[in-house]
Amino acid sequence: MAAMLWLGAAAAVLCLVPSSLGGAGRLYTEEDPLVILSSGSLKSAVTNSSSAWLIQFFSSWCGHCIQYSSTWKALAQDVKDWQDAVSVGVLDCAQEENFDVCKDYSIKFYPTFKFFRAHSPPSERGTTYRGADRSIPSVRQLMVNVLQNHTNLDRPKHCPPLEPYSAAQLLPLLGQRSDHYTAILVEEPDSYVGREVILDLLQYSGVQVKRALSSDRPLVDALKLTAFPSIYLLYPNGTHAHLHSEKPLRFFFSSLLRTLPGVQRRLKSSSTSSSGASQVGALPGKQNTEPWRDFDRSKVYMADLESALHYLLRVELATHNTLEGEELKIFKDLVTLVAKLYPGGGSVVKLMETLSDWLLSMPLQRIPYQAVLDLVDNKMRISGVFLGAELRWVGCQGSRAGLRGYPCSLWTLFHVLTVQHDANPTALDNTGLEAEAAPVLQVMRRYIRTFFGCRECGRHFEQAASVGMDNVQNREQQILWLWQQHNRVNMRLAGSLSDDPLFPKAPWPSPSLCASCHEEKNGIHVWNQDNVLHFLRHHYAASNLSPEYSVTPPRLPAPPVPKEHEGGVRSDSEKKSSTQTPRPGRQAVKGEERREVVGVAGGGGGVWLLGLGFNSVDMSLCVVLYVCSCLFLMLLFFFFKVRSRRWKLRSSRLHV
């Protein structure tokens, strides 16, 4: 009876656990930065491996395993750059196909952690970690200890030495030239920061990190260090100095070294390593036909925003011959959004406002995109309307063609729009977008899903949007959601072929831009989101936009001077009219007033009259219609004139 009760209780408990023998697919997915192993892949993975392994054997029905999965994912994300030295994996013992392998590896309780040394033989069954502390710092230190327990002969192939260097080994390096940086990280004997920074830089070239101890007095005195941990940097040209860090934390040290000029992430693909190596240290100007533009990373450049709109309107959308139905609505929403929130006013805003007004006034449900292009190219010579027809990447320029560019500028554009919406909350009133909690994100989502050229990128963005975008309820959350998603994309693409070696994808903003955005909690890096929000509001504000490198609108032709004033002095009324400030919507360009064109523009472009644009063909038709109307009226006049004479003659005869 007791046995039956126990079985009933067990069945009830199992019913409460979500049914899934595919536990790895539920707790861990291919999107997580770890390796999902099975009975068919475990042995081959750990046998004679060039790296060490730390594997969690878990069960998908184990409540503690489910709770611990988020911690294990965070650990894997934290040490993902260590994978050439030590890899992180999981294996679900609740899957039927794994029953035998879990028994073979003596897995009795869940979760069980086993580590495998590099170059393990086929008979190796791993060493079980029996420590009670399974926090991220403790497990991370376990990984470091596992690596240090290797001898020089069986150490992982790509793992650098983790032992401390002495003054006798390091001091002779001072003043020597080299082809790379050498970072000497001096720390307390019981600190793990130095070894963790060494492993953090494992995927980067151009810098070597050497660890030393604060107890080495000759070295400490020679380098004049007083606080620990500290980094003393030896530059390639032979100079050396203490490297200042805002906070003495692992993340700050790693970020500082990763952002040194010439330090670049290695490509993930071994087949492309040779091509990647050829890019290291090369000058940008030699890899790209475009001139290199010096820029300030703390600024946002209008040239990038203008280039994004140029590519979006003239290239990406121009592949659609016509716009109708849902596509047309999405395009209208995008144009309205940019027209209302694009910062700085000027010719770009005038263009988007004109385009928005034209689209909203069109009763048609289908329009040819060539008509949009004609307006974007300002074929009607509308005063004050202009968008440069060239790509000028500045903050989004890459080390060679094909890197960064348009995707970077599109991210930047929508970051700016989220911040502008926060600064001008009523800007979208009466547009049809004000009812949405996160209008900028929703318009961005619809545009990327419908028009963005990279289908795989659009699929990833849609997956992320379907999970969390609908939970965004206010303008602050809108800013932060886009920032978080951008960082997730950066982490996913770091080290891929699309990652620029001169601008490696990394958590943003970096400590050099916002030190207060970064903190450490329970041994891992965390974001101070209040400070991040403050930074984003400043960074993408209109006041932080630089007009440098922007394409200057062409100078409009001056109106002809009246003959009676040629060679003479202008009247007082003329002087007054020439110095009047432009009307709203007619922005000044580089101090010169834009004049509204009311006659035929130069080059036979067309006429702008009473708010309506006409090209040369339209004007020719008008002239022809005018002449025909005049001839028709003249014929009518003569016809009735003759008839009236006949009527007078007839009436006079009757009287007689």
Side-chain angles (χ1 to χ4, degrees):
M1 184 67 179
M4 293 182 64
L5 289 174
W6 184 89
L7 288 174
V13 170
L14 288 176
C15 288
L16 295 176
V17 178
S19 174
S20 172
L21 287 180
R26 182 166 59 88
L27 295 186
Y28 303 99
T29 69
E30 299 298 334
E31 299 294 327
D32 297 321
L34 44 75
V35 181
I36 300 176
L37 299 167
S38 65
S39 60
S41 60
L42 173 61
K43 194 169 185 177
S44 60
V46 300
T47 300
N48 200 29
S49 171
S50 62
S51 67
W53 278 86
L54 177 63
I55 300 174
Q56 179 199 173
F57 294 83
F58 72 100
S59 176
S60 56
W61 55 257
C62 167
H64 178 67
C65 296
I66 296 173
Q67 296 294 327
Y68 188 73
S69 62
S70 60
T71 302
W72 194 256
K73 291 177 185 179
L75 169 72
Q77 179 64 49
D78 187 52
V79 299
K80 63 184 178 64
D81 284 337
W82 300 13
Q83 58 187 341
D84 286 348
V86 55
S87 300
V88 178
V90 292
L91 188 142
D92 185 5
C93 292
Q95 290 187 339
E96 187 174 359
E97 65 177 23
N98 296 332
F99 287 171
D100 291 338
V101 72
C102 290
K103 180 181 178 181
D104 188 29
Y105 280 77
S106 303
I107 307 302
K108 300 177 181 178
F109 305 101
Y110 311 113
T112 293
F113 299 167
K114 279 182 174 285
F115 57 86
F116 297 79
R117 296 165 63 89
H119 313 293
S120 294
S123 59
E124 176 65 35
R125 292 298 178 264
T127 303
T128 302
Y129 170 63
R130 302 189 183 280
D133 186 359
R134 295 181 174 182
S135 63
I136 292 178
S138 297
V139 178
R140 194 171 61 218
Q141 291 174 13
L142 165 68
M143 299 171 72
V144 172
N145 292 335
V146 168
L147 293 174
Q148 280 201 279
N149 286 336
H150 288 73
T151 65
N152 289 333
L153 295 178
D154 67 357
R155 189 173 62 204
K157 179 180 178 181
H158 300 289
C159 182
L162 301 178
E163 293 74 21
Y165 285 77
S166 65
Q169 295 172 301
L170 296 176
L171 291 180
L173 300 178
L174 301 182
Q176 291 188 9
R177 291 180 175 271
S178 175
D179 60 350
H180 60 267
Y181 297 91
T182 299
I184 303 174
L185 200 154
V186 185
E187 60 182 344
E188 300 289 352
D190 59 347
S191 173
Y192 279 80
V193 173
R195 286 166 283 186
E196 291 172 348
V197 171
I198 291 173
L199 294 171
D200 286 343
L201 273 295
L202 200 58
Q203 303 291 333
Y204 290 78
S205 63
V207 61
Q208 290 184 1
V209 183
K210 299 180 183 294
R211 172 176 169 247
L213 301 180
S214 59
S215 56
D216 191 338
R217 297 311 306 175
L219 177 67
V220 171
D221 293 340
L223 302 182
K224 299 180 180 179
L225 299 177
T226 58
F228 308 101
S230 292
I231 288 184
Y232 198 84
L233 190 63
L234 312 184
Y235 293 85
N237 62 4
T239 60
H240 47 87
H242 176 252
L243 185 63
H244 173 70
S245 175
E246 293 289 339
K247 298 178 183 179
L249 301 175
R250 164 199 165 200
F251 179 83
F252 279 74
F253 291 143
S254 299
S255 297
L256 279 174
L257 296 177
R258 286 168 178 165
T259 55
L260 291 172
V263 175
Q264 300 166 4
R265 179 185 282 274
R266 297 186 179 93
L267 296 178
K268 290 178 180 177
S269 174
S270 58
S271 62
T272 58
S273 60
S274 60
S275 63
S278 66
Q279 298 170 8
V280 175
L283 294 175
K286 295 183 179 180
Q287 299 179 21
N288 198 338
T289 56
E290 288 292 317
W292 184 256
R293 302 180 179 97
D294 294 327
F295 67 97
D296 183 354
R297 294 192 184 215
S298 65
K299 293 286 185 181
V300 175
Y301 287 82
M302 296 293 294
D304 288 321
L305 305 182
E306 293 165 1
S307 297
L309 290 174
H310 160 58
Y311 190 92
L312 183 152
L313 292 169
R314 293 194 177 103
V315 180
E316 192 163 65
L317 282 167
T319 59
H320 299 255
N321 293 327
T322 60
L323 295 177
E324 59 181 322
E326 185 66 17
E327 287 187 353
L328 180 57
K329 182 181 184 305
I330 293 171
F331 178 62
K332 287 181 178 179
D333 288 345
L334 175 70
V335 172
T336 300
L337 187 77
V338 177
K340 296 296 184 181
L341 297 179
Y342 193 85
S347 57
V348 175
V349 171
K350 179 68 180 300
L351 168 64
M352 301 307 292
E353 289 176 344
T354 304
L355 182 57
S356 177
D357 293 341
W358 178 72
L359 288 170
L360 294 176
S361 65
M362 290 289 289
L364 303 177
Q365 295 301 313
R366 178 179 179 179
I367 62 172
Y369 195 74
Q370 184 59 46
V372 176
L373 282 178
D374 287 343
L375 203 156
V376 172
D377 293 335
N378 199 13
K379 293 290 184 65
M380 288 72 70
R381 298 292 193 270
I382 304 173
S383 175
V385 169
F386 177 76
L387 176 63
E390 62 178 285
L391 299 175
R392 287 193 183 183
W393 312 122
V394 184
C396 286
Q397 63 190 320
S399 60
R400 59 181 174 86
L403 297 179
R404 306 183 79 219
Y406 176 60
C408 166
S409 67
L410 194 63
W411 279 109
T412 304
L413 174 64
F414 280 102
H415 280 302
V416 168
L417 296 180
T418 59
V419 171
Q420 291 303 307
H421 183 225
D422 181 62
N424 304 282
T426 61
L428 298 179
D429 287 355
N430 303 317
T431 63
L433 298 174
E434 70 276 7
E436 297 183 281
V440 178
L441 295 184
Q442 295 296 344
V443 171
M444 180 183 184
R445 177 183 183 179
R446 294 192 288 266
Y447 176 82
I448 291 177
R449 181 174 57 205
T450 308
F451 295 112
F452 192 58
C454 176
R455 284 301 180 195
E456 188 68 12
C457 306
R459 184 180 66 83
H460 280 291
F461 189 84
E462 179 60 27
Q463 286 178 345
S466 63
V467 172
M469 186 178 289
D470 291 336
N471 296 327
V472 177
Q473 298 299 321
N474 55 53
R475 297 185 303 276
E476 294 181 355
Q477 293 176 3
Q478 182 175 232
I479 296 172
L480 289 174
W481 189 93
L482 189 61
W483 160 76
Q484 290 169 340
Q485 182 57 29
H486 197 171
N487 265 339
R488 291 191 188 101
V489 173
N490 281 344
M491 289 188 292
R492 179 169 54 84
L493 297 179
S496 65
L497 290 174
S498 63
D499 194 4
D500 194 322
L502 287 185
F503 304 96
K505 298 186 184 300
W508 191 89
S510 64
S512 60
L513 284 178
C514 180
S516 62
C517 294
H518 303 270
E519 294 178 353
E520 191 172 285
K521 185 178 182 181
N522 297 327
I524 62 172
H525 169 262
V526 295
W527 294 97
N528 185 318
Q529 295 205 2
D530 290 338
N531 291 339
V532 169
L533 180 61
H534 177 76
F535 168 82
L536 295 173
R537 282 170 165 165
H538 165 74
H539 186 74
Y540 292 111
S543 59
N544 197 45
L545 298 181
S546 172
E548 189 176 7
Y549 301 113
S550 293
V551 180
T552 305
R555 182 179 300 176
L556 294 174
V561 180
K563 290 184 179 181
E564 58 269 22
H565 294 296
E566 286 183 0
V569 180
R570 292 185 299 171
S571 63
D572 293 339
S573 60
E574 287 178 290
K575 292 180 181 179
K576 182 177 179 180
S577 62
S578 66
T579 57
Q580 286 178 345
T581 57
R583 292 176 295 162
R586 303 291 188 264
Q587 302 289 336
V589 179
K590 292 191 179 294
E592 295 184 8
E593 180 184 352
R594 292 191 179 120
R595 298 176 175 87
E596 187 173 7
V597 181
V598 295
V600 179
V607 169
W608 181 253
L609 185 63
L610 298 178
L612 300 174
F614 297 95
N615 57 27
S616 56
V617 176
D618 296 329
M619 294 304 300
S620 300
L621 290 174
C622 290
V623 172
V624 171
L625 290 173
Y626 176 77
V627 172
C628 292
S629 300
C630 291
L631 292 174
F632 180 71
L633 291 173
M634 291 176 64
L635 288 173
L636 287 177
F637 173 77
F638 287 115
F639 173 76
F640 285 108
K641 188 73 173 176
V642 171
R643 289 293 300 269
S644 64
R645 287 181 179 177
R646 290 181 180 178
W647 182 81
K648 287 181 179 179
L649 290 174
R650 184 180 302 173
S651 61
S652 61
R653 289 173 183 173
L654 291 174
H655 177 73
V656 172

